[in-house]
Amino acid sequence: MDTPSTPSNFLRAIIEEDLKNGKNEGRVFTRFPPEPNGFLHIGHAKSICLNFGLARDYGGRCHLRFDDTNPGKEDPVYVASIKEDVRWLGFDWGEHLYHASDYFERLYAFAVELIEKGKAYVCSLSAEEVREYRGTLTEPGKNSPYRDRSVEENLDLFARMRAGEFPEGAHILRAKIDMASPNMNMRDPALYRILHQEHQNTGNTWCIYPMYDFAHGLSDSLERITHSICTLEFADHKPLYDWLLDQLDVPSRPVQYEFNRLNINFTVTSKRKLKTLVENGVVAGWNDPRMPTISGLRRRGFPPAAMRDFCERIGVSRSDSCVDMGVLENCVRENLDAKAPRAMAVLRPVKLVIENYPEGQEEFFELANHPKNPDMGSRKVGFSREVFIEDSDFMENPCAKFFRLAPGKEVRLRGAYLVTCTDVVKNDDGTVREVLCTYDPASRGGDAPDGRKVKGTLHWVSARHCAEAEVRLYDRLFTAEFPGKDADFLDQINPSSLETLTGCKVERSLTEAAPEDRFQFERQGFFCADRFDHAPDRAVFNRTVTLRDSWAKVAG
Ligand code: ATP
Ligand code: MG
């Protein structure tokens, strides 16, 4: 166990204090409790890293618990995706995979215990009446006329609710607390409702389902969770969490702690909004690389280590804030800069013909896969008379500061030769068909034999030694820094969040990349072979991030 000497956040401080005092027999049990009603997003990654990270660092364990108390919205597809995402982020729940629905029978027994203790009653007001009786923030509520039903009547009605005798909405089970409480959550909150719906885990066994607030703390207790860590919006629910544990004969006494949820600008972190994007066809699915979902970021090429690093750096506190998207992108850049092999890819190719290079001749250059890490080895890159360069690297009438290729100018083809532009051949419509040049045979490797200065260095691929690829350039999904703040978030979609380039020319070795392999395409950015579409006969790369934060420049 590697315990830091100064706790880096308030939760670590609490846990270390508890351990010092021998609380919970020295156990640290946490849990990550997603509801399987959508895919996980970057905000959930923070909660995952936090809960699993604390368990790891303090020799405890972290449970994965599906909080599946809303049958209508939940789906096994979501269950599978959540498990995959947590594993991919690098965490392991071992044998501790649970569902709130695993406890439905025990939760029912807790509800019966509450009724028997006179602490819960069956209420037959309509939903609208319940709302009316609840009062407002400034006015107390009124007691339900059903509040004083006898224990026997409540037990009978609750059993018949379970037996399926009543339609949805006919009755609910409510806690008997205090209709005048300043905390609305304590005004006789609902504990169970009737839902004649099939459940993704329990099928048709039940037609009454516990409310989240009832199920959550009791599930924590059944699993002997010690530190139940949730986001700040649950702070107002803590009195109810504690009240339930106080009334009932529970196996253990967990404590709820709240931390700030992660918000990031230029995106949304709400499952409801993400679902709308998917359902409206704004994106191609939950794992579209523009989505802030874990599976979207994965497909975009974000390494799990970079995401863990990000969650570590943003830290936890008790006040809400918004993190700049650039912080996340920088974690990704840093990770990939160290780890991603280099390669050359020409995204918008124009042909360069080296007129004094013999036709039919070819040679190979040994290029390092990483400029600073020789352990990453090297590869052979073929060269011939015709190569492709980026069309933006050539200007027929260059402006003053243009150091790339132009008539009469000399540039370096990275790792190969120095070439000088002699002429340009055009199509009928005036666009450039070929750029003609000559090369200096004495500059093999790209160094001038006489030490003359050559400023521009271009990436290139040889026409005989390249493959075609599709490259998808992704940008931020929203144009607004805080989508939904001043307008409907659906009206703030960035229309150029995806640009698909076909006919890109890449080093042939890139066709051997496995899906999800990541590269730096020199001078272009970091790219990842698409997890689903990349195949040996079809190269497809997604741009993960640009080399520098282009948005910082725009904003600054
Ligand atoms: P959403 O608001 O997107 O629907 P949720 O809170 O309803 O999310 P849950 O499945 O209930 O989704 O979340 C599981 C856990 O993840 C909860 O403990 C929740 O507090 C935490 N969580 C959700 N969103 C964030 C976030 N943005 N930052 C940190 N933790 C989060
Ligand atoms: Mg929730």
Side-chain angles (χ1 to χ4, degrees):
M1 186 167 76
D2 181 15
T3 311
S5 51
T6 332
S8 53
N9 65 51
F10 76 99
L11 291 167
R12 288 179 180 273
I14 289 167
I15 291 176
E16 290 179 21
E17 188 63 22
D18 288 348
L19 287 173
K20 207 168 77 195
N21 297 331
K23 208 176 156 189
N24 304 310
E25 311 88 46
R27 291 178 300 116
V28 176
F29 287 8
T30 58
R31 85 285 170 269
F32 172 64
E35 182 179 359
N37 61 349
F39 280 52
L40 298 181
H41 53 64
I42 180 76
H44 294 110
K46 174 176 177 177
S47 179
I48 294 167
C49 291
L50 180 60
N51 280 296
F52 280 93
L54 291 171
R56 174 198 61 212
D57 294 347
Y58 294 102
R61 69 190 202 204
C62 180
H63 299 183
L64 175 60
R65 183 200 314 144
F66 288 102
D67 222 324
D68 50 355
T69 53
N70 283 312
K73 296 187 185 150
E74 296 160 4
D75 197 304
V77 169
Y78 299 138
V79 171
S81 77
I82 289 169
K83 288 192 206 165
E84 181 176 59
D85 289 348
V86 174
R87 271 199 209 101
W88 178 78
L89 265 182
F91 298 104
D92 183 5
W93 54 87
E95 61 207 27
H96 302 290
L97 173 66
Y98 305 105
H99 303 78
S101 57
D102 296 338
Y103 311 130
F104 279 173
E105 197 62 55
R106 298 175 80 176
L107 294 171
Y108 181 83
F110 279 131
V112 169
E113 184 185 336
L114 272 186
I115 295 173
E116 285 168 344
K117 289 178 168 164
K119 298 291 184 180
Y121 62 98
V122 173
C123 177
S124 311
L125 291 177
S126 69
E128 198 180 322
E129 288 166 326
V130 168
R131 251 193 313 279
E132 272 168 33
Y133 276 70
R134 190 179 289 135
T136 64
L137 283 173
T138 49
E139 280 174 42
K142 282 187 300 184
N143 283 355
S144 161
Y146 304 99
R147 202 173 197 255
D148 295 318
R149 275 179 166 150
S150 68
V151 169
E152 290 67 37
E153 188 181 2
N154 283 321
L155 287 173
D156 174 60
L157 284 171
F158 191 49
R160 289 165 58 196
M161 282 167 65
R162 176 179 182 169
E165 287 188 27
F166 307 114
E168 290 183 11
H171 308 284
I172 55 172
L173 184 74
R174 299 176 72 171
K176 193 188 278 191
I177 310 179
D178 177 8
M179 289 306 291
S181 171
N183 184 341
M184 301 290 275
N185 295 304
M186 299 299 271
R187 294 187 186 173
D188 291 10
L191 305 179
Y192 264 90
R193 75 275 200 219
I194 300 170
L195 290 173
H196 291 282
Q197 284 176 5
E198 188 170 309
H199 186 278
Q200 59 90 16
N201 190 32
T202 58
N204 288 307
T205 310
W206 294 88
C207 63
I208 56 171
Y209 290 95
M211 300 300 289
Y212 171 86
D213 278 334
F214 182 70
H216 196 78
L218 295 172
S219 303
D220 282 345
S221 172
L222 290 170
E223 291 176 19
R224 296 166 67 237
I225 297 300
T226 55
H227 300 80
S228 177
I229 298 165
C230 62
T231 36
L232 282 169
E233 68 269 22
F234 290 100
D236 285 349
H237 299 241
K238 187 176 159 93
L240 176 56
Y241 184 100
D242 288 334
W243 184 88
L244 287 163
L245 296 173
D246 286 341
Q247 309 308 315
L248 291 161
D249 185 16
V250 289
S252 84
R253 192 56 211 244
V255 180
Q256 172 180 310
Y257 299 97
E258 306 93 23
F259 71 99
N260 60 332
R261 59 186 293 130
L262 170 62
N263 302 303
I264 301 189
N265 60 1
F266 294 104
T267 191
V268 293
T269 45
S270 141
K271 275 188 276 190
R272 187 180 53 77
K273 288 184 176 165
L274 295 173
K275 197 169 184 185
T276 307
L277 293 173
V278 173
E279 284 170 354
N280 290 13
V282 174
V283 292
W286 284 98
N287 60 18
D288 184 298
R290 291 165 292 181
M291 290 282 270
T293 50
I294 295 177
S295 53
L297 298 172
R298 170 179 183 176
R299 193 168 172 195
R300 174 87 166 249
F302 284 32
M307 300 201 14
R308 293 194 299 268
D309 177 35
F310 170 71
C311 292
E312 193 63 40
R313 283 194 211 181
I314 56 173
V316 291
S317 76
R318 287 197 42 93
S319 54
D320 267 319
S321 62
C322 185
V323 176
D324 197 290
M325 180 64 104
V327 176
L328 174 58
E329 289 167 346
N330 264 331
C331 290
V332 172
R333 256 180 222 113
E334 246 175 60
N335 177 291
L336 292 177
D337 189 45
K339 304 256 169 69
R342 273 46 174 175
M344 292 195 288
V346 177
L347 304 190
R348 296 174 179 89
V350 64
K351 192 179 269 183
L352 183 72
V353 181
I354 306 161
E355 292 192 293
N356 60 340
Y357 194 90
E359 247 171 285
Q361 182 174 311
E362 65 175 0
E363 63 189 298
F364 291 86
F365 294 100
E366 191 85 23
L367 297 189
N369 288 333
H370 195 281
K372 286 177 235 140
N373 184 356
D375 292 345
M376 288 174 70
S378 60
R379 66 197 187 284
K380 285 193 162 49
V381 181
F383 186 84
S384 62
R385 189 170 190 267
E386 296 189 346
V387 303
F388 291 104
I389 61 169
E390 213 64 58
D391 71 357
S392 58
D393 280 337
F394 172 76
M395 270 182 101
E396 195 178 0
N397 301 299
C399 48
K401 288 262 157 84
F402 191 78
F403 296 117
R404 290 165 276 163
L405 204 58
K409 292 244 173 123
E410 185 171 48
V411 296
R412 176 180 300 104
L413 294 180
R414 173 144 171 69
Y417 288 108
L418 300 177
V419 295
T420 303
C421 176
T422 53
D423 206 353
V424 45
V425 184
K426 298 204 177 158
N427 296 308
D428 292 342
D429 64 358
T431 54
V432 175
R433 186 160 79 205
E434 286 176 355
V435 177
L436 306 181
C437 68
T438 56
Y439 84 118
D440 179 352
S443 65
R444 194 170 197 282
D447 294 320
D450 55 1
R452 65 182 184 272
K453 282 249 176 314
V454 176
K455 272 203 169 156
T457 299
L458 312 186
H459 61 279
W460 52 274
V461 292
S462 159
R464 276 175 60 180
H465 305 91
C466 73
E468 292 233 336
E470 177 178 321
V471 172
R472 299 164 182 171
L473 303 179
Y474 293 102
D475 204 340
R476 293 178 180 178
L477 186 52
F478 292 94
T479 49
E481 178 161 14
F482 306 107
K485 186 163 168 254
D486 305 310
D488 185 339
F489 75 109
L490 291 174
D491 294 332
Q492 298 175 315
I493 304 288
N494 176 4
S496 34
S497 61
L498 167 61
E499 185 182 359
T500 302
L501 304 176
T502 53
C504 306
K505 311 286 185 185
V506 301
E507 284 181 36
R508 192 171 290 152
S509 62
L510 285 171
T511 58
E512 286 154 29
E516 303 203 85
D517 278 356
R518 303 177 183 92
F519 301 90
Q520 183 190 101
F521 289 171
E522 300 213 22
R523 301 175 64 222
Q524 307 276 13
F526 294 100
F527 291 77
C528 170
D530 190 81
R531 184 176 169 205
F532 302 113
D533 298 336
H534 179 84
D537 57 348
R538 182 179 174 220
V540 181
F541 291 92
N542 300 329
R543 184 169 68 195
T544 307
V545 281
T546 53
L547 288 180
R548 267 172 298 280
D549 185 355
S550 50
W551 282 72
K553 271 187 282 172
V554 175

